[in-house]
Amino acid sequence: MSKTYDDVLMDWMFYREDKLQLFTDIKNHMKAVYLSDNKPMILAVSFGKDSSMVLTLFLEMLNSLTPAERQKKVYVISADTLVETESMASYVRKNLEAVGRIGKELGIEILLSAPNPKEKFFYNVIGKGLPAPNGKSRFRWCSGKLKLSPMNRTIEYILKQCPVDFDVVDFDATLLIGTRLDESVARANSIRKFEVSDYFSKHHTYEKLRVYTPIKTITTFDLWIYLENFVQVFPWGELVSELRAMYEDGKECPIVRSVNDKACGSNSSRNGCWVCLMSGRRDGMLETLIEKGHKDAPYLAEWKAFLFDVANDVRYREPLRRKEYRSHLSGVDQGEYTPITIFEELDPSSHYYHTFQRAKKGNENGEFRPGGFTITLRKILLEKLLYTQEKVGYTLIEEEEITSILEAWNEDGFEFSRKELQPVNHQYDGSIVFHPDWTLNTKETTNPNPIFYVEYKFKFGFDDMIAYIKERQQFMKDQIFCYFDHDDLVDDGIVWNKAVFVVAREDIQTQKEADEYVARWLYIDGAEALGADGKPFNKMVGKSKDAAIHHLLIDTLYEGLKLKKEMAS
């Protein structure tokens, strides 16, 4: 049976010296490690409870050394994901600056890592349309891009500074981290998996980097009792009570060493990233800030909830994944479509019938597995983010990142100018969610509007049909979700592809309105002409006109074949 906080408190009352000796032993061990070689030491800190404890004990150890003993290079490194709450980010910056001030005489260099432009959260979600990881995600990219890669670049920089020598020691530097066995089963297993001795383990990435976990046996209760009663003020001058308040606000996210570390969003660790969806729609950190009167928190919480709500809405997901688009478009000459004439001989043995490139519904198993966010949603998310930024009164996204996002959109064929993007408080009308078998997930679907399915037939092969749909998306700067399939009339020797569009909007209440909405999106080129009455109207030209004509011809043929069969029966 595990001990409660009161049990541990009683142990401290009756065995105080023994308890304090635990921390003295750690400092003595740190001293022995420090003096055992001339290799640099790296302290990875998030200024949460664990890394603050390691840094406290290490600085106390350093101050106990004589100037002659204190000759080793020490780096204190931290990661800024650029999406922490302002209170969390300012807390880390304040502590780093304080450590930097006292660290100059101790041989300490401060290094703060951050994502590069293509690793940033908003670039990936809004720029590239990459869905943000949530508790059910198979691909959790954010820790790797926002923390692990930036920290690895910092470590690589440090390792390059290490002098080349021929010592028998098989490492170039020692990395100190605050990982503890008491944190979680997963953390404990991770520590033991790479251990080479009681306190040292191999680094996941760098062979010449030794990982040192000096506080791994300290329990959470013992850690807090020591910090609050025997430290109270960190060696760099900040108050332990302020750190404790950060935990009450739920705003701490530890250092990540590998993509296997589930550092954020779980119950075992606090989360500082206000955009994180790992813990679900509700955010305990932001809710606590709201309760405490932080004026910015409601706007941050609203944007995050919006992102969570839209994540699985089929209307805002690409019908194919990026690599599937590339595969289909690689064999198509852009701007050249060659639909086969509808008046081919209706013969099941014809060359046309057997070689026609049939569209496939879903993934290789026929399942609904959508791609990334559509350009429609990406634009909505950015506009709502700009609105949120306007309301909180500080920078959430730099103009440089907005420029990178526009470049990413342009790479996908969507040209927007910065002037087209203005703060807009978009509201969400509720989700449309499918099961993998393409049936409507009524449990998770919350949209109150009627859902319409609009089918359009194409004599384009699958690649050409994808190219045509992609061209329409780029021209309209907007997307309507559709899935692809084909109809195969074996007896008549005819086949065609089709796109089935899913429409659910407040302003569309009938099938006819849905049909017209899709038709305008699918066929109107936007070129204006004057009608007989002298009024301008949009007309169909070029490929859109050809596609519309072939759709009508196929529909006519299909109805004729159906009537013929009905009469024969």
Side-chain angles (χ1 to χ4, degrees), residues 3-5 7-12 15 18-20 22-23 53 180 182 215 217-231:
K3 288 186 176 182
T4 65
Y5 180 80
D7 293 333
V8 176
L9 196 57
M10 291 295 290
D11 287 345
W12 275 87
Y15 307 104
D18 291 341
K19 286 289 189 179
L20 288 174
L22 293 174
F23 297 91
M53 172 63 82
R180 295 179 299 105
D182 187 49
I215 66 166
T217 60
I218 298 298
T219 67
T220 301
F221 288 154
D222 284 338
L223 182 148
W224 276 120
I225 290 173
Y226 182 80
L227 286 179
E228 292 186 290
N229 294 278
F230 300 96
V231 176

Side-chain angles (χ1 to χ4, degrees), residues 84-103:
E84 277 98 6
T85 60
E86 178 62 19
S87 54
M88 179 64 181
S90 61
Y91 178 78
V92 171
R93 287 194 299 268
K94 178 178 68 172
N95 279 267
L96 270 181
E97 290 169 1
V99 173
R101 285 192 295 270
I102 69 160

Side-chain angles (χ1 to χ4, degrees), residues 3 21 42 87 158 230 241 272 355 384 406 475 492 510 541:
K3 288 186 176 182
Q21 189 63 42
I42 308 167
S87 54
I158 294 171
F230 300 96
S241 59
T355 59
K384 191 171 180 69
L406 291 177
F475 178 79
D492 298 304
T510 67
V541 297

Side-chain angles (χ1 to χ4, degrees), residues 40-47 55 73-80 92-93 95-97 99-101 103 107-114 147 150-162 175 255:
M41 300 190 80
I42 308 167
L43 283 78
V45 298
S46 65
F47 290 103
L55 184 56
K73 183 68 175 179
V74 176
Y75 297 90
V76 172
I77 65 175
S78 189
D80 183 358
V92 171
R93 287 194 299 268
N95 279 267
L96 270 181
E97 290 169 1
V99 173
R101 285 192 295 270
I108 294 176
E109 181 177 345
I110 304 296
L111 295 174
L112 180 63
S113 66
K147 286 191 171 184
M151 287 292 278
N152 281 350
R153 284 195 297 274
T154 301
I155 289 172
E156 287 169 6
Y157 163 80
I158 294 171
L159 292 176
K160 287 178 181 178
Q161 311 307 308
C162 297
L175 174 66
I255 290 295

Side-chain angles (χ1 to χ4, degrees), residues 105-145:
E105 297 180 0
L106 302 174
I108 294 176
E109 181 177 345
I110 304 296
L111 295 174
L112 180 63
S113 66
N116 67 32
K118 292 191 176 181
E119 291 170 340
K120 293 179 179 180
F121 182 85
F122 296 127
Y123 173 82
N124 281 279
V125 173
I126 299 176
K128 303 299 288 185
L130 191 61
N134 57 46
K136 298 179 181 179
S137 297
R138 300 178 182 180
F139 175 41
R140 300 178 180 182
W141 54 265
C142 53
S143 288
K145 288 181 183 289

Side-chain angles (χ1 to χ4, degrees), residues 137-338:
S137 297
R138 300 178 182 180
F139 175 41
R140 300 178 180 182
W141 54 265
C142 53
S143 288
K145 288 181 183 289
L146 303 183
K147 286 191 171 184
L148 183 61
S149 292
M151 287 292 278
N152 281 350
R153 284 195 297 274
T154 301
I155 289 172
E156 287 169 6
Y157 163 80
I158 294 171
L159 292 176
K160 287 178 181 178
Q161 311 307 308
C162 297
V164 177
D165 55 41
F166 299 96
D167 293 349
V168 294
V169 179
D170 62 352
F171 59 89
D172 289 337
T174 299
L175 174 66
L176 284 78
I177 58 175
T179 308
R180 295 179 299 105
L181 295 170
D182 187 49
E183 285 184 275
S184 68
V185 174
R187 289 265 173 171
N189 290 338
S190 177
I191 293 175
R192 295 189 179 103
K193 181 178 180 180
F194 292 92
E195 268 187 341
V196 292
S197 63
D198 286 345
Y199 290 95
F200 299 98
S201 59
K202 298 177 181 179
H203 194 272
H204 301 78
T205 306
Y206 303 104
E207 293 182 1
K208 303 294 282 185
L209 183 63
R210 179 176 64 164
V211 178
Y212 179 27
T213 51
I215 66 166
K216 74 170 191 175
T217 60
I218 298 298
T219 67
T220 301
F221 288 154
D222 284 338
L223 182 148
W224 276 120
I225 290 173
Y226 182 80
L227 286 179
E228 292 186 290
N229 294 278
F230 300 96
V231 176
Q232 296 186 349
V233 179
F234 291 115
W236 53 95
E238 300 300 325
L239 297 175
V240 171
S241 59
E242 187 175 0
L243 172 65
R244 187 61 169 176
M246 297 294 284
Y247 271 82
E248 291 170 359
D249 287 350
K251 301 189 297 258
E252 190 268 340
C253 208
I255 290 295
V256 182
R257 290 187 300 151
S258 81
V259 292
N260 297 318
D261 283 354
K262 297 178 181 178
C264 300
S266 64
N267 293 327
S268 61
S269 64
R270 304 292 183 170
N271 177 25
C273 294
W274 67 270
V275 296
C276 182
L277 303 184
M278 294 300 293
S279 58
R281 186 180 192 273
R282 295 183 59 185
D283 192 312
M285 167 191 68
L286 293 175
E287 288 180 354
T288 302
L289 292 177
I290 292 170
E291 290 173 4
K292 291 193 171 186
H294 290 250
K295 302 299 184 182
D296 59 338
Y299 297 105
L300 301 179
E302 182 184 347
W303 193 91
K304 173 187 168 173
F306 189 95
L307 177 63
F308 183 87
D309 290 341
V310 300
N312 295 315
D313 192 325
V314 300
R315 297 172 300 165
Y316 296 123
R317 299 295 291 270
E318 291 278 6
L320 300 175
R321 301 190 177 191
R322 191 173 289 271
K323 65 178 182 180
E324 294 171 321
Y325 269 126
R326 284 197 296 264
S327 176
H328 285 291
L329 297 177
S330 63
V332 176
D333 293 329
Q334 294 302 304
E336 295 295 330
Y337 306 101
T338 53

Side-chain angles (χ1 to χ4, degrees), residues 454-458 497-501 515 518-519 522-523 551:
V454 180
E455 180 180 305
Y456 275 89
K457 302 176 178 65
F458 293 88
N497 288 325
K498 61 184 180 181
V500 181
F501 294 85
D515 293 343
V518 173
L522 200 55
Y523 298 127
H551 165 67

Side-chain angles (χ1 to χ4, degrees), residues 126 378-379 381-390 394-407 409-410 414-424 477:
I126 299 176
R378 288 185 261 173
K379 182 172 181 284
L381 288 172
L382 182 52
E383 290 173 338
K384 191 171 180 69
L385 181 63
L386 292 174
Y387 169 82
T388 304
Q389 179 170 265
E390 192 176 74
Y394 54 82
T395 301
L396 297 176
I397 182 169
E398 300 281 355
E399 282 297 322
E400 178 186 8
E401 189 169 0
I402 295 176
T403 299
S404 297
I405 287 171
L406 291 177
E407 290 172 353
W409 291 358
N410 189 55
F414 302 103
E415 295 185 11
F416 287 88
S417 70
R418 178 64 180 87
K419 292 180 180 180
E420 292 180 76
L421 303 169
Q422 299 298 322
V424 180
K477 294 185 180 181

